[in-house]
Every structure is written in C-alpha cells, then in structure tokens.
Amino acid sequence: MQGVTLTQHIRQSQLTHPEARGELSSLLTQIGVAGKVISSKVNMAGLVKMLGSTGRVNVQGEVVQKLDEYAEETIQNIVGGSGQVCALLSEELKHVIEIPEDRAGGYIVAYDPLDGSSNIDANVSIGTIFSIFPKKSSGVEVTRRDTMRPGREQIAAGYILYGSSTVFVYTVGDGVHGFTLDPSVGEYVLSHEDIRLPSKCKTLSINQGNAPYWPRWVHDFVERMLARNDEDKRRVSGRHIGSLVADFHRNLLYGGIFLYPADQRAPRGKLRLLYEASPLAFIIENAGGAASDGHQRILDMEPTELHHRTGLLIGNEAEVQLAEQCVRDAEAAA
Ligand code: AHM
Ligand code: MG
C-alpha cells in the first residue's frame, strides 16, 4: 500500500489546526473505524440477510431498514465508546444519548447513520454523515446549549460514502480531503487532496417527481438552469440518485447544485438540519461552495428541535445565489 493514510492525515491536520487536539484526531479515527465496519456489512448485505426492513418505524416516521439499525448500533458502540464524546445525536433516535461520565469526552457528534436508506436494497450508493461540535457548557451535564447548535460552531464534519468504493471525506475547517478505503489492507488512503468545487455548475440534482408540490420559485430556477442548454451545447445535466450523500459527493467532484426545497408535501423541508444539511454545508463552504435554505446560510440556522427540518440548496455559490434570487423574485411577485 502506498500513500498517506487517514490516521496520518488527521494527525497532521491536528498539528496545524488551532482547535484540534489529540482527542479530535482520535474521534475522527474512530468514526473511520465505524465506517469500515458498516462498509463491510453493506458490501455483504445480500449474503448475510441484511437487506429489507426491520418492520419498525423511526422517529421520523420512516421505515427502519436492517442496515439502518446495524449502522446505528455500530456508531453507538464505536463512537459512543471512544472516550471522546459526551453526547450522540442521531437521525434515527428521538432523544440525545448521553455518555456516562466515566466514559465521556469533550465532543458532541450528530449523525445520519445511513443516509439514502430507500436505496439500500437496490445496491445504490448510501452513506454515513457526521458533524462534530465541542462541548459548550461547563460542567459534566449535557445541556441544550451543547446540542442545539448552529452549523458554524462545528469543528469538523464529514461523510463515508459506500459506493463503487468506500470513501471517507472530512474537513476540520481548513480544506476538504477524501480517502478511499483499500479493502485489502483495511486502510483509508488519501485519494482526493484538498477538494475544490469546480467553478462550473454542470449538474442539477432535484427530485422532479416533486414538481407538482414545488413553490413557484423552484420552477423558475429549474427553467433558468435548463435555458443554459442550447442546440450547440448541453451545459447542465440532470443527475439525481435519491441518496443525498451520493448526490452531494458527485456534485462536489464535478460541480453542481442539489436542491430539496420546502414544498407542499414537506412545508418545512424534508432534510434534517443537524444530521444532513449542516455537516454538508460545512463541507461545501470549505470546498468553495455555498448552502442555503432559500433565505439564509444553512450554517447560521439555529435548530429549534433535534429533528429540525429545512429546505436545502447546496453547491456552486453562483447557482445557490441564483436560487435565492428566484425565491426573492417569487416573494416580491406574490
Ligand atoms: P434518509 O436519511 O432516511 O435516507 O432520508 C434522506 C434522503 C436523502 O438521502 C435524499 O436526498 C432524500 O431523502 C430523498 O427523498 P425523496 O425520496 O423524497 O426524494
Ligand atoms: Mg438522511
């Protein structure tokens, strides 16, 4: 095996990052370990009876898949047992998990254990998304001040994508780096150093099936994007997987905008601020892009509840601004 491993890279960024202490390096490494465990189960899912649903419905009202449950338990065991966290916030759980004092550390991790669950049984890419905050309140208790945090207070965020290969992407606020899991040795190796979002927005990612429920501005925005294509050249292409983490990763590498706006079916949006929008917004800003709910920067949004939902427009900054302009135009015309 050749190249820089994730562990080496994390240690290196710890040396240069002012807030990163050894504990953060250890926590990120443990998240990587949880990702390896989940990845191996995802790869074997069809063989080890891990496809299909558990028959349960989660706090979001969504059917829990067997792999959702496995990913949740794996993160609780490995990250919760790392000694570096005092609380875990999961998309799958109703309440915060507080880590007992004798095993608690100084960080809070919010996560979506397996994003894109509706795609699991079709072998389509899925992933784990995570967000890390330093504990804010003094004292051992975990308070609302520690958990209800705007994304700008994140110290690190990332995701593990279980796709054609398993990729770990993270930022501690000084660039975005991607690592590919070499399954023959069980190590993540640096494959995408200092990812910068390409300047051209080549991809438009949105679930067209929601068009009947979209507010006016979304139709305007989509029309304006598609008007960039003419007989001579297709400048914008539609790509939508239905796994946010996979749609995001492709757009991060190729340039693009992903939208899941609030609409008539989901008046507050479908995606969750703490587990999906905020971590990906932290990553996209660190790669030179932007993220908004249509009115404000995602990283400035204050969650009012654990499962706070939001509209999400994320990708190239110019196109996110264009979408915000469409929102303002529609509001002015109303
Ligand atoms: P999940 O975390 O339960 O998988 O839900 C989030 C997913 C996103 O990955 C994806 O962008 C979206 O839900 C797709 O929803 P829809 O089927 O409404 O387009
Ligand atoms: Mg999700």
Side-chain angles (χ1 to χ4, degrees), residues 142-204:
V142 176
T143 68
R144 219 179 136 78
R145 281 182 66 214
D146 297 313
T147 54
M148 297 289 111
R149 309 275 286 273
R152 60 171 182 271
E153 294 183 7
Q154 286 170 99
I155 190 173
Y159 56 85
I160 306 140
L161 178 65
Y162 314 111
S164 49
S165 49
T166 293
V167 178
F168 184 106
V169 174
Y170 87 107
T171 181
V172 289
D174 63 350
V176 179
H177 311 286
F179 299 77
T180 301
L181 181 64
D182 177 347
S184 64
V185 290
E187 271 290 357
Y188 296 100
V189 183
L190 184 60
S191 50
H192 300 75
E193 192 171 11
D194 196 13
I195 302 171
R196 302 298 298 167
L197 187 64
S199 58
K200 281 193 186 146
C201 180
K202 290 189 185 153
T203 315
L204 172 62

Side-chain angles (χ1 to χ4, degrees), residues 4 44 75 89 96 134 138 147 201 228 246 263 276-277 301 310 314 333:
V4 178
M44 300 272 288
I75 294 174
L89 281 59
V96 174
S138 52
T147 54
C201 180
R228 294 179 179 181
D263 63 20
E276 292 162 328
M301 290 177 70
T310 178
I314 189 163

